């Protein structure tokens, strides 16, 4: 595999964005919004679910962890199936699985059946990121690849923001069961859009070499250079997910313990942080298409390390509001670059597999974020737990320097 960005550049300056490209972007973005909405409403509903079903704190937290474990399994399985059977067909399978079992969550009578429904819904959720990213990257010209990948990632944040704003308004009236039914609505929208999509041309061209699922996995570690990139991407996605879930799942509790905020006020402060995340993702996509993937990652990793430390030391509510926005920009802005980086690092017959396997391995590690932050907070304080997250971004920067090549402008093969 060639990793020299100069040797792999292709002249796409006049290549237009097609109607199918816009449809692929819309379908991928809505699907990812569905994922973000689902996971954050769960975070906001844990208290109500725990009280209604008589769960322990550990059981309530495990609902998030097992949703993420399901997402890892779904990402691995559906990514490989997508590389073999097509992006659109497999995305439809994932949406049906997610919608059915999210709806089933509203009927749960206890911990174990709810845990099963959440895990299976997570399996459907897991395929969304990688397949949607591969679909959008394959349907757009190379000069826009980081930007279009960042737009798909913004879908998640739109879903998260909707959850942060709607849950405090709706939860008192429809309860946590009703909120799960609301979570099914974006799934129907995504399904409607995807029924009008076509497979990208680069995927259709490779249909004469349909890979077996196992061969797609082997392409992720086919030689030393590829294995090095795969390892680096796993570190990057692990740190991003660990920091994201560690901060977002516990932010309402952190604000409540430090500033005495109620759920509504915590939701407002969280929403401002989410808006900062959206700005960060957009900015990252713009930068990565202009100055390159690697410099953009290093810039945001440094910003994340600094802002996590700053945020943990602030006591003034207004200062925390603005600092939260900047914190969100750096901590989650890197999501804007993963889709382009992984699309460029692997061939078409392994692209969705790479996106889903590598990102969901990172999501599996990230699933430990709420557990670790909770444990440190219980032993010391939320302030200490948040501050300790700064160290992981130093590890992130080291991995970027040593393991990640610059692939800006690489032609997809």
């Amino acid at each position: 595999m060639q990793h020299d960005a100069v040797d792999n550049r292709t002249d796409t300056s006049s290549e237009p964005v097609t109607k199918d490209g816009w449809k692929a972007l819309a379908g991928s973005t809505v699907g990812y919004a569905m994922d973000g909405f689902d996971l954050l409403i769960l975070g906001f509903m844990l208290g109500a679910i725990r009280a209604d079903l008589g769960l322990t704190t550990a059981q309530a937290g495990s609902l998030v962890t097992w949703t993420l474990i399901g997402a890892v399994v779904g990402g691995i399985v559906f990514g490989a199936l997508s590389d073999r059977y097509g992006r659109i067909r497999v995305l439809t399978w994932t949406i049906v699985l997610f919608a059915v079992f999210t709806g089933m969550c509203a009927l749960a009578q206890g911990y174990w059946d709810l845990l099963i429904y959440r895990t299976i819904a997570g399996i459907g959720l897991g395929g969304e990121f990688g397949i949607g990213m591969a679909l959008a990257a394959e349907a757009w010209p190379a000069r826009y690849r980081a930007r279009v990948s960042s737009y798909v990632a913004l879908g998640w944040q739109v879903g998260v923001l909707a959850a942060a704003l709607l849950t405090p308004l709706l939860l008192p009236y429809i309860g946590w069961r009703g909120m799960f039914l609301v979570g099914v609505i974006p799934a129907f929208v995504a399904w409607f859009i995807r029924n009008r999509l076509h497979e990208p041309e680069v995927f259709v061209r490779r249909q004469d070499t349909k890979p077996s699922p196992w061969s797609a996995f082997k392409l992720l570690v086919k030689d030393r250079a590829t294995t090095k990139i795969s390892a680096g991407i796993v570190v990057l996605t692990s740190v991003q997910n660990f920091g994201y879930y560690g901060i977002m799942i516990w932010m309402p509790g952190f604000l409540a313990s430090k500033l005495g905020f109620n759920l509504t006020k915590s939701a407002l402060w969280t929403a401002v942080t989410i808006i900062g995340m959206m700005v960060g993702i957009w900015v990252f996509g713009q930068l990565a298409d202009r100055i390159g993937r690697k410099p953009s990652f290093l810039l945001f990793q440094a910003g994340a390390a600094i802002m996590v430390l700053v945020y943990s030391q602030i006591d003034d509510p207004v200062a925390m509001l603005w600092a939260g926005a900047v914190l969100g920009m750096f901590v989650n802005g890197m999501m804007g670059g993963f889709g382009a980086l992984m699309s460029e690092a692997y061939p078409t017959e392994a692209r969705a597999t790479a996106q889903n396997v590598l990102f969901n391995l990172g999501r599996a590690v990230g699933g430990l974020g709420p557990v670790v932050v909770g444990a440190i907070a219980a032993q010391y304080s939320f302030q200490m737990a948040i501050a300790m997250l700064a160290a992981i971004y130093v590890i992130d920067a080291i991995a970027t320097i040593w393991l990640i090549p610059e692939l800006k402008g690489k032609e997809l093969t």
Side-chain angles (χ1 to χ4, degrees):
M1 177 182 290
Q2 172 61 262
H3 300 303
D4 188 327
V6 175
D7 291 342
N8 283 292
R9 290 181 188 275
T10 181
D11 184 8
T12 59
S13 57
S14 60
E15 187 178 348
V17 179
T18 65
K19 186 176 180 181
D20 283 342
W22 285 106
K23 288 180 180 178
L25 173 59
S28 300
T29 303
V30 171
Y32 211 34
M34 174 195 76
D35 293 1
F37 184 85
D38 175 80
L39 277 178
L40 198 71
I41 62 170
L42 179 59
F44 275 112
M45 294 189 306
L46 285 181
I49 294 172
R50 183 174 62 186
D52 191 29
L53 298 182
L55 308 184
T56 66
T57 302
Q59 286 176 325
S62 71
L63 294 174
V64 177
T65 299
W66 277 94
T67 299
L68 297 173
I69 290 172
V72 173
V73 173
I76 292 171
V77 171
F78 287 122
L81 291 176
S82 169
D83 282 328
R84 180 169 177 80
Y85 297 109
R87 315 301 189 211
I88 309 305
R89 181 187 302 181
V90 177
L91 275 171
T92 302
W93 297 348
T94 66
I95 205 76
V96 169
L97 191 65
F98 171 85
V100 168
F101 283 92
T102 297
M104 292 290 289
C105 289
L107 306 177
Q109 298 302 304
Y111 170 67
W112 289 107
D113 60 336
L114 180 56
L115 186 71
I116 291 169
Y117 300 150
R118 285 303 307 167
T119 303
I120 299 176
I123 291 173
L125 179 151
E128 290 288 334
F129 174 84
I131 304 174
M133 281 294 186
L135 175 64
E138 290 170 348
W140 279 63
R143 71 184 185 277
Y144 295 126
R145 193 172 296 134
R147 275 169 278 189
V148 75
S149 296
S150 73
Y151 301 154
V152 174
L154 276 173
W156 172 283
Q157 298 305 138
V158 170
V160 166
L161 183 60
L165 296 176
L166 291 177
T167 306
L169 296 177
L170 297 179
L171 186 60
Y173 298 99
I174 64 176
W176 62 269
R177 297 180 188 276
M179 287 304 302
F180 275 125
L181 294 178
V182 170
V184 175
I185 295 173
F188 285 110
V189 176
W191 179 85
F192 178 81
I193 294 174
R194 285 166 186 171
N195 272 349
R196 287 152 179 78
L197 293 175
H198 302 287
E199 296 292 348
E201 182 181 340
V202 67
F203 179 84
V204 174
R205 288 200 306 264
R206 301 300 290 264
Q207 283 299 280
D208 57 336
T209 58
K210 277 189 177 181
S212 69
W214 177 242
S215 68
F217 290 120
K218 290 193 291 187
L219 286 172
L220 306 187
V221 289
K222 72 172 188 175
D223 53 37
R224 183 175 179 180
T226 309
T227 302
K228 182 179 174 183
I229 294 177
S230 296
I233 292 173
V234 168
V235 173
L236 265 62
T237 56
S238 295
V239 168
Q240 191 277 328
N241 279 285
F242 192 98
Y244 176 81
Y245 290 116
I247 290 171
M248 291 308 299
I249 295 298
W250 285 110
M251 182 168 279
F254 176 64
L255 293 170
S257 67
K258 191 166 185 177
L259 301 176
F261 283 4
N262 58 24
L263 179 60
T264 301
K265 201 165 186 180
S266 291
L268 173 61
W269 260 243
T270 303
V272 171
T273 301
I274 294 166
I275 292 171
M277 291 179 172
M278 295 172 70
V279 172
I281 290 172
W282 183 85
V283 169
F284 194 103
Q286 302 298 313
L287 280 177
D289 272 339
R290 290 170 170 81
I291 68 172
R293 287 47 168 148
K294 194 165 181 173
S296 300
F297 274 113
L298 290 170
L299 175 64
F300 273 67
Q301 288 154 359
I306 293 168
M307 285 310 303
V308 165
L309 289 173
V310 170
Y311 189 79
S312 69
Q313 301 303 312
I314 297 175
D315 292 310
D316 178 70
V318 176
M320 286 190 75
L321 183 70
W322 293 108
V326 180
L327 171 72
M329 185 181 80
F330 285 112
V331 164
N332 209 47
M334 290 171 279
M335 274 294 301
F338 292 145
L341 177 64
M342 288 186 273
S343 293
E344 292 159 346
Y346 305 95
T348 299
E349 56 266 35
R351 185 164 295 120
T353 300
Q355 296 269 8
N356 269 348
V357 169
L358 301 180
F359 183 78
N360 280 299
L361 284 174
R363 185 142 59 178
V365 176
L368 299 174
V371 177
V372 173
V373 171
I376 296 173
Q379 185 70 29
Y380 301 101
S381 66
F382 274 119
Q383 187 174 13
M384 176 67 73
I386 297 296
M388 288 182 68
L389 287 174
I392 66 176
Y393 295 103
V394 177
I395 297 171
D396 209 19
I398 293 170
T400 300
I401 292 169
W402 292 103
L403 301 176
I404 302 298
E406 179 56 65
L407 298 174
K408 177 177 175 287
K410 183 179 184 295
E411 183 179 5
L412 299 188
T413 58

